[in-house]
Amino acid sequence: MTRIGFVAAFLLIGTAAASAALPPYWQRKAEIDAITDSGDVARRLENHGPIDVIEHIGNDHYRVGGGDCTLDVFIVDDASAEPMPGPRKFKLQIGKLVCK
């Protein structure tokens, strides 16, 4: 392999690895959008009012509040998705509804 070919291959590999995930702002936005679009979250909270707050608790953990209730929502990797470069493929895991 020529020197130029080696450098080009190296740059392509680096580019593919860099595009493997969204920047943190856009990843967080994708997660919040998934929560607000989730029918499961809506069904759990529907008798307690609309979503009032979505709080980022920690890595892959959100707390969704509506009325006097909260619901923990976890971001989990989508094991059914084929591994490929690009944004993280995830699903929501919904915890127990807790009301005051």
Coordinates of all heavy atoms in Angstrom, one line a residue:
M1 N 0.9 -1.2 0.0 CA 0.0 0.0 0.0 C 0.9 1.2 0.0 O 1.9 1.3 0.7 CB -0.9 0.0 1.2 CG -1.8 1.2 1.3 SD -2.9 1.2 2.8 CE -4.1 -0.1 2.4
T2 N 0.6 2.2 -0.8 CA 1.4 3.4 -0.9 C 1.1 4.2 0.4 O 0.1 4.0 1.1 CB 1.0 4.2 -2.1 OG1 -0.3 4.7 -2.0 CG2 1.1 3.4 -3.4
R3 N 2.0 5.1 0.5 CA 1.9 6.0 1.7 C 0.5 6.8 1.7 O -0.1 6.9 2.7 CB 3.1 6.9 1.8 CG 3.1 7.8 3.0 CD 4.3 8.7 3.0 NE 4.8 8.7 4.3 CZ 5.8 9.4 4.7 NH1 6.5 10.0 3.8 NH2 6.2 9.5 6.0
I4 N 0.2 7.3 0.5 CA -1.1 8.1 0.4 C -2.3 7.2 0.6 O -3.2 7.5 1.3 CB -1.2 8.7 -1.0 CG1 -0.1 9.8 -1.1 CG2 -2.5 9.3 -1.3 CD1 0.1 10.4 -2.5
G5 N -2.2 5.9 0.1 CA -3.3 5.0 0.3 C -3.5 4.7 1.8 O -4.6 4.5 2.3
F6 N -2.4 4.5 2.5 CA -2.4 4.2 3.9 C -3.0 5.4 4.7 O -3.9 5.2 5.5 CB -1.0 3.9 4.5 CG -1.0 3.7 5.9 CD1 -1.4 2.5 6.5 CD2 -0.5 4.7 6.8 CE1 -1.4 2.3 7.8 CE2 -0.5 4.5 8.2 CZ -1.0 3.3 8.7
V7 N -2.6 6.6 4.4 CA -3.2 7.8 5.0 C -4.7 7.9 4.7 O -5.5 8.2 5.6 CB -2.4 9.1 4.6 CG1 -3.1 10.3 5.1 CG2 -1.0 9.0 5.1
A8 N -5.1 7.7 3.5 CA -6.5 7.7 3.1 C -7.3 6.7 3.9 O -8.4 7.0 4.4 CB -6.7 7.6 1.6
A9 N -6.8 5.5 4.0 CA -7.5 4.4 4.7 C -7.6 4.8 6.2 O -8.6 4.6 6.8 CB -6.8 3.1 4.5
F10 N -6.5 5.3 6.8 CA -6.5 5.7 8.2 C -7.6 6.8 8.4 O -8.3 6.7 9.4 CB -5.2 6.2 8.6 CG -5.1 6.6 10.0 CD1 -5.0 5.6 11.0 CD2 -5.0 7.9 10.4 CE1 -5.0 6.0 12.3 CE2 -5.0 8.3 11.7 CZ -4.9 7.4 12.7
L11 N -7.7 7.8 7.5 CA -8.7 8.8 7.7 C -10.1 8.3 7.6 O -11.0 8.7 8.3 CB -8.4 9.9 6.7 CG -7.1 10.8 6.9 CD1 -6.9 11.7 5.8 CD2 -7.2 11.5 8.2
L12 N -10.3 7.4 6.7 CA -11.7 6.8 6.5 C -12.1 6.0 7.7 O -13.2 6.1 8.2 CB -11.7 5.9 5.3 CG -11.7 6.7 3.9 CD1 -11.7 5.7 2.8 CD2 -13.0 7.5 3.8
I13 N -11.2 5.3 8.3 CA -11.5 4.5 9.5 C -11.8 5.5 10.7 O -12.7 5.3 11.4 CB -10.3 3.6 9.9 CG1 -10.2 2.5 8.9 CG2 -10.5 3.0 11.3 CD1 -8.9 1.7 9.0
G14 N -11.0 6.6 10.8 CA -11.3 7.6 11.8 C -12.6 8.2 11.7 O -13.3 8.5 12.6
T15 N -13.0 8.5 10.4 CA -14.2 9.2 10.1 C -15.4 8.3 10.5 O -16.4 8.7 11.1 CB -14.3 9.6 8.6 OG1 -13.2 10.4 8.4 CG2 -15.6 10.3 8.3
A16 N -15.3 7.0 10.2 CA -16.4 6.0 10.5 C -16.5 5.9 12.0 O -17.7 5.9 12.5 CB -16.1 4.7 9.9
A17 N -15.5 5.9 12.7 CA -15.6 5.7 14.2 C -16.2 7.0 14.8 O -16.9 7.0 15.7 CB -14.2 5.5 14.8
A18 N -15.8 8.2 14.2 CA -16.3 9.4 14.8 C -17.8 9.6 14.5 O -18.5 10.2 15.3 CB -15.5 10.6 14.2
S19 N -18.3 9.0 13.4 CA -19.7 9.1 13.1 C -20.6 8.1 13.8 O -21.7 8.0 13.5 CB -19.9 9.1 11.6 OG -19.6 7.8 11.1
A20 N -20.0 7.3 14.7 CA -20.7 6.2 15.3 C -21.7 6.6 16.3 O -22.6 5.9 16.6 CB -19.7 5.2 15.9
A21 N -21.6 7.8 16.8 CA -22.6 8.3 17.8 C -23.0 9.7 17.6 O -22.2 10.5 16.9 CB -22.0 8.1 19.2
L22 N -24.1 10.1 18.1 CA -24.5 11.5 18.0 C -23.8 12.3 19.1 O -23.4 11.8 20.1 CB -26.0 11.6 18.3 CG -27.0 11.1 17.2 CD1 -28.4 11.1 17.8 CD2 -26.8 11.8 16.0
P23 N -23.6 13.6 18.8 CA -23.0 14.4 19.9 C -24.0 14.4 21.1 O -25.2 14.2 20.9 CB -23.0 15.8 19.2 CG -22.9 15.6 17.8 CD -23.7 14.3 17.5
P24 N -23.5 14.7 22.3 CA -24.3 14.5 23.5 C -25.6 15.3 23.4 O -26.7 14.8 23.8 CB -23.4 15.0 24.6 CG -22.1 14.8 24.1 CD -22.1 15.0 22.6
Y25 N -25.6 16.6 22.9 CA -26.8 17.4 22.8 C -27.9 16.6 22.0 O -29.1 16.5 22.4 CB -26.5 18.7 22.2 CG -27.8 19.6 21.9 CD1 -28.3 20.4 22.9 CD2 -28.4 19.5 20.7 CE1 -29.4 21.1 22.7 CE2 -29.6 20.2 20.5 CZ -30.1 21.0 21.5 OH -31.2 21.7 21.2
W26 N -27.5 16.1 20.8 CA -28.5 15.5 19.9 C -28.9 14.1 20.4 O -30.0 13.7 20.2 CB -27.9 15.4 18.5 CG -27.7 16.8 17.9 CD1 -26.5 17.5 17.8 CD2 -28.7 17.7 17.6 NE1 -26.7 18.7 17.3 CE2 -28.1 18.9 17.2 CE3 -30.1 17.7 17.5 CZ2 -28.8 20.0 16.7 CZ3 -30.8 18.8 17.1 CH2 -30.1 19.9 16.7
Q27 N -28.0 13.4 21.1 CA -28.4 12.1 21.7 C -29.5 12.4 22.8 O -30.5 11.7 22.9 CB -27.2 11.4 22.3 CG -27.5 10.1 22.9 CD -28.1 9.1 21.9 OE1 -27.6 9.0 20.8 NE2 -29.1 8.4 22.3
R28 N -29.2 13.4 23.6 CA -30.2 13.7 24.7 C -31.5 14.1 24.1 O -32.6 13.7 24.5 CB -29.6 14.8 25.6 CG -30.5 15.3 26.7 CD -30.4 14.5 28.0 NE -29.1 14.1 28.4 CZ -28.3 14.7 29.2 NH1 -28.6 15.9 29.8 NH2 -27.1 14.2 29.6
K29 N -31.5 14.9 23.0 CA -32.7 15.3 22.3 C -33.5 14.1 21.8 O -34.7 14.0 21.9 CB -32.4 16.3 21.2 CG -33.7 16.8 20.5 CD -33.3 17.6 19.3 CE -34.5 18.1 18.5 NZ -35.5 17.1 18.2
A30 N -32.8 13.2 21.2 CA -33.4 12.0 20.7 C -34.0 11.2 21.8 O -35.2 10.6 21.6 CB -32.3 11.1 19.9
E31 N -33.4 11.1 22.9 CA -34.0 10.4 24.1 C -35.2 11.0 24.6 O -36.2 10.4 24.9 CB -32.9 10.2 25.2 CG -31.8 9.3 24.8 CD -30.6 9.4 25.7 OE1 -30.6 10.1 26.7 OE2 -29.6 8.6 25.4
I32 N -35.2 12.4 24.7 CA -36.3 13.1 25.2 C -37.5 13.0 24.2 O -38.7 12.8 24.6 CB -36.0 14.6 25.6 CG1 -35.0 14.6 26.8 CG2 -37.2 15.4 25.8 CD1 -34.4 15.9 27.1
D33 N -37.2 13.1 22.9 CA -38.2 13.0 21.9 C -38.9 11.6 22.0 O -40.1 11.5 21.9 CB -37.6 13.2 20.5 CG -37.3 14.6 20.2 OD1 -37.7 15.5 20.9 OD2 -36.6 14.9 19.2
A34 N -38.1 10.6 22.2 CA -38.6 9.2 22.3 C -39.5 9.1 23.5 O -40.6 8.4 23.5 CB -37.5 8.2 22.5
I35 N -39.2 9.8 24.6 CA -40.0 9.7 25.8 C -41.4 10.4 25.6 O -42.4 9.9 25.9 CB -39.3 10.4 27.0 CG1 -38.2 9.4 27.5 CG2 -40.3 10.6 28.2 CD1 -37.2 10.1 28.5
T36 N -41.3 11.6 25.0 CA -42.5 12.4 24.7 C -43.4 11.7 23.6 O -44.6 11.9 23.6 CB -42.3 13.9 24.3 OG1 -41.4 13.9 23.2 CG2 -41.6 14.6 25.5
D37 N -42.8 11.0 22.7 CA -43.5 10.3 21.7 C -44.0 8.9 22.1 O -44.8 8.3 21.4 CB -42.7 10.1 20.4 CG -42.4 11.4 19.7 OD1 -43.1 12.4 20.0 OD2 -41.4 11.5 18.9
S38 N -43.7 8.5 23.3 CA -44.0 7.1 23.7 C -45.4 6.9 24.1 O -45.9 7.6 25.0 CB -43.1 6.7 24.9 OG -43.5 5.5 25.4
G39 N -46.1 6.0 23.5 CA -47.5 5.7 23.9 C -47.5 5.0 25.2 O -48.5 5.2 26.0
D40 N -46.5 4.2 25.6 CA -46.5 3.6 26.9 C -46.4 4.6 28.0 O -47.0 4.5 29.0 CB -45.3 2.6 26.9 CG -45.5 1.4 26.1 OD1 -46.6 1.0 25.8 OD2 -44.5 0.8 25.7
V41 N -45.5 5.6 27.8 CA -45.4 6.7 28.8 C -46.7 7.4 29.0 O -47.2 7.6 30.1 CB -44.3 7.7 28.5 CG1 -44.3 8.9 29.4 CG2 -42.9 6.9 28.6
A42 N -47.4 7.7 27.8 CA -48.6 8.4 27.9 C -49.7 7.6 28.6 O -50.5 8.2 29.4 CB -49.1 8.8 26.4
R43 N -49.8 6.3 28.3 CA -50.8 5.5 28.9 C -50.6 5.4 30.4 O -51.5 5.4 31.2 CB -50.8 4.1 28.3 CG -51.5 4.0 27.0 CD -51.7 2.6 26.5 NE -50.4 2.0 26.0 CZ -49.9 2.4 24.8 NH1 -50.5 3.2 24.0 NH2 -48.8 1.8 24.4
R44 N -49.3 5.4 30.9 CA -49.1 5.3 32.3 C -49.5 6.6 33.0 O -49.9 6.5 34.2 CB -47.6 5.0 32.6 CG -47.1 3.7 32.1 CD -47.2 2.6 33.1 NE -46.7 1.3 32.6 CZ -45.5 0.8 32.9 NH1 -44.7 1.5 33.7 NH2 -45.1 -0.3 32.4
L45 N -49.3 7.7 32.4 CA -49.6 9.0 33.0 C -51.0 9.6 32.7 O -51.3 10.6 33.3 CB -48.5 10.0 32.6 CG -47.1 9.8 33.2 CD1 -46.1 10.8 32.5 CD2 -47.1 10.0 34.7
E46 N -51.7 9.0 31.8 CA -52.9 9.6 31.2 C -54.0 10.0 32.3 O -54.7 11.0 32.1 CB -53.5 8.8 30.1 CG -54.3 7.5 30.5 CD -54.8 6.8 29.3 OE1 -55.1 7.4 28.3 OE2 -55.0 5.6 29.5
N47 N -54.1 9.2 33.3 CA -55.1 9.5 34.4 C -54.5 10.5 35.4 O -55.2 10.8 36.4 CB -55.5 8.2 35.1 CG -56.3 7.3 34.1 OD1 -57.0 7.8 33.3 ND2 -56.1 6.0 34.3
H48 N -53.3 10.9 35.2 CA -52.6 11.8 36.2 C -52.3 13.2 35.6 O -51.6 14.0 36.3 CB -51.4 11.1 36.8 CG -51.7 9.7 37.3 ND1 -52.4 9.5 38.5 CD2 -51.5 8.5 36.8 CE1 -52.6 8.2 38.7 NE2 -52.1 7.6 37.6
G49 N -52.6 13.4 34.4 CA -52.3 14.7 33.8 C -51.2 14.5 32.7 O -50.6 13.5 32.6
P50 N -51.0 15.6 32.0 CA -49.9 15.6 31.0 C -48.6 15.6 31.6 O -48.4 15.9 32.8 CB -50.2 16.9 30.2 CG -50.9 17.8 31.1 CD -51.7 16.9 32.1
I51 N -47.5 15.4 30.8 CA -46.2 15.5 31.3 C -45.9 17.0 31.7 O -46.1 17.9 30.9 CB -45.2 15.1 30.2 CG1 -45.3 13.6 29.9 CG2 -43.7 15.4 30.6 CD1 -44.5 13.1 28.8
D52 N -45.4 17.1 32.9 CA -45.1 18.5 33.4 C -43.6 18.7 33.4 O -43.1 19.8 33.2 CB -45.5 18.6 34.9 CG -47.0 18.6 35.0 OD1 -47.7 19.2 34.1 OD2 -47.5 18.0 36.0
V53 N -42.8 17.6 33.5 CA -41.3 17.7 33.6 C -40.7 16.4 33.2 O -41.2 15.3 33.4 CB -40.9 18.1 35.1 CG1 -41.2 17.0 36.1 CG2 -39.5 18.5 35.1
I54 N -39.5 16.5 32.5 CA -38.7 15.4 32.3 C -37.3 15.8 32.8 O -36.7 16.7 32.4 CB -38.6 15.1 30.8 CG1 -39.9 14.8 30.2 CG2 -37.5 14.0 30.5 CD1 -39.9 14.6 28.7
E55 N -36.9 15.0 33.8 CA -35.6 15.3 34.5 C -34.6 14.2 34.2 O -34.9 13.0 34.3 CB -35.9 15.3 36.0 CG -34.7 15.6 36.8 CD -35.0 15.6 38.3 OE1 -36.2 15.3 38.7 OE2 -34.1 15.9 39.1
H56 N -33.4 14.6 33.8 CA -32.3 13.7 33.5 C -31.7 13.4 34.9 O -31.1 14.2 35.5 CB -31.3 14.3 32.6 CG -30.2 13.4 32.2 ND1 -28.9 13.5 32.7 CD2 -30.2 12.3 31.5 CE1 -28.1 12.6 32.3 NE2 -28.9 11.8 31.5
I57 N -31.8 12.1 35.3 CA -31.4 11.7 36.7 C -29.9 11.3 36.6 O -29.1 11.5 37.5 CB -32.2 10.6 37.2 CG1 -33.7 11.0 37.3 CG2 -31.7 10.0 38.5 CD1 -33.9 12.1 38.3
G58 N -29.6 10.6 35.6 CA -28.2 10.1 35.4 C -28.1 9.4 34.1 O -28.9 9.5 33.2
N59 N -27.0 8.7 33.9 CA -26.7 8.0 32.7 C -27.8 7.1 32.3 O -28.1 6.1 33.0 CB -25.4 7.2 32.8 CG -24.9 6.8 31.4 OD1 -25.1 7.4 30.4 ND2 -24.2 5.7 31.4
D60 N -28.5 7.4 31.2 CA -29.6 6.6 30.7 C -30.8 6.5 31.6 O -31.6 5.5 31.6 CB -29.1 5.1 30.3 CG -28.1 5.1 29.2 OD1 -28.1 6.1 28.4 OD2 -27.4 4.1 29.1
H61 N -31.0 7.5 32.4 CA -32.1 7.4 33.4 C -32.8 8.8 33.4 O -32.2 9.8 33.7 CB -31.5 7.1 34.8 CG -32.6 7.0 35.9 ND1 -32.2 6.9 37.2 CD2 -33.9 7.0 35.9 CE1 -33.3 6.8 37.9 NE2 -34.4 6.9 37.1
Y62 N -34.1 8.8 33.2 CA -34.9 10.0 33.3 C -36.1 9.8 34.2 O -36.5 8.7 34.5 CB -35.5 10.3 31.9 CG -34.5 10.7 30.9 CD1 -33.8 9.8 30.1 CD2 -34.2 12.1 30.7 CE1 -32.9 10.2 29.2 CE2 -33.3 12.5 29.7 CZ -32.6 11.5 29.0 OH -31.7 11.9 28.1
R63 N -36.6 10.9 34.8 CA -37.8 10.8 35.6 C -38.8 11.8 35.0 O -38.5 12.9 34.8 CB -37.5 11.3 37.1 CG -38.7 11.1 38.0 CD -38.3 11.0 39.4 NE -37.6 9.8 39.7 CZ -36.5 9.7 40.5 NH1 -36.1 10.8 41.1 NH2 -35.9 8.6 40.7
V64 N -39.9 11.2 34.7 CA -41.0 11.9 34.0 C -42.1 12.2 35.0 O -42.5 11.3 35.7 CB -41.6 11.1 32.8 CG1 -42.6 11.9 32.1 CG2 -40.4 10.7 31.9
G65 N -42.5 13.5 35.1 CA -43.5 13.8 36.1 C -44.8 14.4 35.4 O -44.7 15.1 34.4
G66 N -45.9 13.9 36.0 CA -47.2 14.4 35.5 C -48.1 14.4 36.7 O -48.3 13.4 37.3
G67 N -48.7 15.6 37.0 CA -49.6 15.7 38.1 C -48.8 15.4 39.4 O -47.7 15.9 39.6
D68 N -49.3 14.5 40.2 CA -48.6 14.2 41.5 C -47.8 12.9 41.3 O -47.5 12.2 42.3 CB -49.6 14.0 42.6 CG -50.2 15.4 43.1 OD1 -49.5 16.4 42.8 OD2 -51.3 15.4 43.6
C69 N -47.6 12.4 40.1 CA -46.9 11.1 39.9 C -45.6 11.3 39.1 O -45.4 12.3 38.4 CB -47.8 10.2 39.1 SG -49.4 9.9 39.9
T70 N -44.7 10.4 39.3 CA -43.5 10.3 38.6 C -43.3 8.9 38.0 O -43.8 7.9 38.5 CB -42.3 10.7 39.5 OG1 -42.2 9.7 40.5 CG2 -42.3 12.1 40.0
L71 N -42.6 8.8 37.0 CA -42.3 7.6 36.3 C -40.9 7.6 35.9 O -40.4 8.5 35.2 CB -43.2 7.5 35.0 CG -43.2 6.3 34.2 CD1 -43.8 5.1 34.9 CD2 -44.1 6.6 32.9
D72 N -40.1 6.6 36.3 CA -38.7 6.4 35.9 C -38.7 5.8 34.5 O -39.4 4.8 34.2 CB -37.9 5.6 36.9 CG -37.6 6.4 38.1 OD1 -37.7 7.6 38.1 OD2 -37.2 5.7 39.1
V73 N -37.9 6.3 33.6 CA -37.7 5.8 32.3 C -36.2 5.6 32.0 O -35.4 6.5 32.3 CB -38.3 6.7 31.2 CG1 -38.1 6.2 29.8 CG2 -39.8 7.0 31.5
F74 N -35.8 4.4 31.6 CA -34.4 4.1 31.3 C -34.2 3.9 29.8 O -35.1 3.3 29.1 CB -34.1 2.8 32.1 CG -34.2 2.9 33.6 CD1 -35.4 2.6 34.2 CD2 -33.2 3.4 34.3 CE1 -35.6 2.7 35.5 CE2 -33.4 3.6 35.7 CZ -34.6 3.2 36.3
I75 N -33.1 4.3 29.4 CA -32.7 4.1 28.0 C -31.8 2.9 27.9 O -30.8 2.7 28.6 CB -31.8 5.3 27.5 CG1 -32.6 6.7 27.7 CG2 -31.4 5.1 26.0 CD1 -33.9 6.8 26.9
V76 N -32.3 1.9 27.1 CA -31.5 0.6 27.0 C -31.2 0.4 25.5 O -32.0 0.8 24.6 CB -32.3 -0.6 27.6 CG1 -32.5 -0.4 29.1 CG2 -33.7 -0.7 26.9
D77 N -30.1 -0.2 25.3 CA -29.7 -0.5 23.9 C -30.7 -1.5 23.3 O -31.2 -2.4 23.9 CB -28.3 -1.2 23.9 CG -27.2 -0.2 24.2 OD1 -27.3 1.0 23.9 OD2 -26.2 -0.6 24.8
D78 N -31.0 -1.3 22.0 CA -31.9 -2.1 21.3 C -31.1 -3.3 20.7 O -30.4 -3.2 19.7 CB -32.5 -1.3 20.1 CG -33.6 -2.1 19.4 OD1 -33.7 -3.3 19.6 OD2 -34.2 -1.5 18.5
A79 N -31.2 -4.4 21.4 CA -30.5 -5.6 21.0 C -30.9 -6.2 19.7 O -30.2 -6.9 19.0 CB -30.6 -6.7 22.1
S80 N -32.1 -5.8 19.2 CA -32.6 -6.3 17.9 C -32.1 -5.6 16.7 O -32.2 -6.0 15.6 CB -34.1 -6.3 17.9 OG -34.6 -5.0 17.9
A81 N -31.5 -4.4 17.0 CA -31.0 -3.6 15.9 C -29.6 -4.1 15.5 O -28.8 -4.5 16.3 CB -30.8 -2.1 16.3
E82 N -29.4 -4.1 14.1 CA -28.1 -4.6 13.6 C -27.0 -3.5 14.0 O -27.2 -2.3 13.9 CB -28.2 -4.7 12.1 CG -29.0 -5.9 11.6 CD -28.8 -6.1 10.2 OE1 -27.7 -5.9 9.6 OE2 -29.8 -6.5 9.5
P83 N -25.9 -4.0 14.5 CA -24.8 -3.1 14.8 C -24.3 -2.4 13.5 O -23.9 -3.1 12.6 CB -23.7 -3.9 15.5 CG -24.1 -5.4 15.2 CD -25.5 -5.4 14.7
M84 N -24.3 -1.1 13.5 CA -23.8 -0.4 12.4 C -23.5 1.0 12.8 O -24.0 1.5 13.8 CB -24.8 -0.4 11.2 CG -26.1 0.2 11.5 SD -27.4 0.0 10.3 CE -26.6 -0.3 8.8
P85 N -22.6 1.7 12.1 CA -22.3 3.1 12.5 C -23.5 3.9 12.4 O -24.4 3.7 11.6 CB -21.3 3.5 11.4 CG -20.7 2.3 10.8 CD -21.8 1.2 11.0
G86 N -23.6 4.9 13.2 CA -24.7 5.9 13.2 C -25.2 6.1 14.6 O -24.6 5.7 15.6
P87 N -26.3 6.8 14.7 CA -26.9 7.1 16.1 C -27.1 5.8 16.8 O -27.4 4.7 16.3 CB -28.2 7.8 15.8 CG -28.0 8.3 14.4 CD -27.1 7.3 13.7
R88 N -27.1 5.9 18.1 CA -27.4 4.8 19.0 C -28.8 4.3 18.8 O -29.8 5.1 18.8 CB -27.2 5.2 20.5 CG -27.5 4.2 21.5 CD -27.3 4.8 22.9 NE -27.5 3.7 23.9 CZ -27.6 4.0 25.2 NH1 -27.6 5.3 25.6 NH2 -27.8 3.0 26.1
K89 N -29.0 3.0 18.7 CA -30.3 2.4 18.6 C -30.7 2.0 20.0 O -30.0 1.3 20.7 CB -30.3 1.2 17.7 CG -29.7 1.4 16.3 CD -30.6 2.3 15.5 CE -30.2 2.3 14.1 NZ -29.5 3.6 13.6
F90 N -31.9 2.6 20.5 CA -32.3 2.3 21.9 C -33.8 2.1 22.0 O -34.5 2.4 21.1 CB -31.8 3.4 22.8 CG -32.5 4.8 22.5 CD1 -33.7 5.1 23.0 CD2 -31.8 5.7 21.6 CE1 -34.2 6.3 22.7 CE2 -32.4 6.9 21.3 CZ -33.6 7.2 21.9
K91 N -34.2 1.6 23.1 CA -35.6 1.4 23.5 C -35.7 2.0 24.9 O -34.8 2.3 25.6 CB -35.9 -0.1 23.6 CG -35.9 -0.8 22.3 CD -36.4 -2.2 22.5 CE -36.4 -3.0 21.2 NZ -36.9 -4.4 21.4
L92 N -37.0 2.3 25.2 CA -37.3 2.8 26.5 C -37.7 1.6 27.4 O -38.5 0.7 27.0 CB -38.5 3.8 26.5 CG -38.3 5.0 25.6 CD1 -39.5 5.9 25.6 CD2 -37.0 5.8 26.0
Q93 N -37.2 1.6 28.6 CA -37.7 0.7 29.6 C -38.4 1.5 30.7 O -37.7 2.4 31.3 CB -36.5 -0.1 30.2 CG -36.9 -1.1 31.3 CD -35.7 -1.8 31.8 OE1 -34.5 -1.4 31.6 NE2 -35.9 -2.9 32.5
I94 N -39.6 1.2 30.9 CA -40.4 2.1 31.8 C -40.6 1.4 33.1 O -41.0 0.3 33.2 CB -41.8 2.4 31.1 CG1 -41.6 3.1 29.8 CG2 -42.7 3.2 32.0 CD1 -42.8 3.2 28.9
G95 N -40.3 2.2 34.2 CA -40.4 1.7 35.5 C -41.8 1.9 36.1 O -42.8 2.1 35.4
K96 N -41.8 1.8 37.4 CA -43.1 1.8 38.1 C -43.6 3.2 38.3 O -42.8 4.1 38.6 CB -42.8 1.2 39.5 CG -44.1 1.0 40.4 CD -43.7 0.3 41.7 CE -44.8 0.4 42.6 NZ -44.5 -0.1 43.9
L97 N -44.9 3.5 38.2 CA -45.5 4.8 38.4 C -45.6 5.0 39.9 O -46.1 4.1 40.7 CB -46.9 4.8 37.8 CG -47.6 6.1 37.9 CD1 -46.9 7.2 37.1 CD2 -49.1 5.9 37.4
V98 N -45.1 6.1 40.4 CA -45.2 6.4 41.8 C -46.0 7.7 42.0 O -45.6 8.7 41.4 CB -43.7 6.6 42.4 CG1 -43.8 7.0 43.9 CG2 -42.9 5.3 42.3
C99 N -47.0 7.6 42.8 CA -47.9 8.8 43.0 C -47.9 9.2 44.5 O -47.8 8.3 45.4 CB -49.3 8.5 42.6 SG -49.4 8.2 40.8
K100 N -48.0 10.5 44.8 CA -48.0 10.9 46.1 C -49.4 10.9 46.7 O -50.4 11.0 46.1 CB -47.5 12.4 46.2 CG -46.1 12.5 45.8 CD -45.7 14.0 45.9 CE -44.2 14.1 45.3 NZ -43.8 15.4 45.3

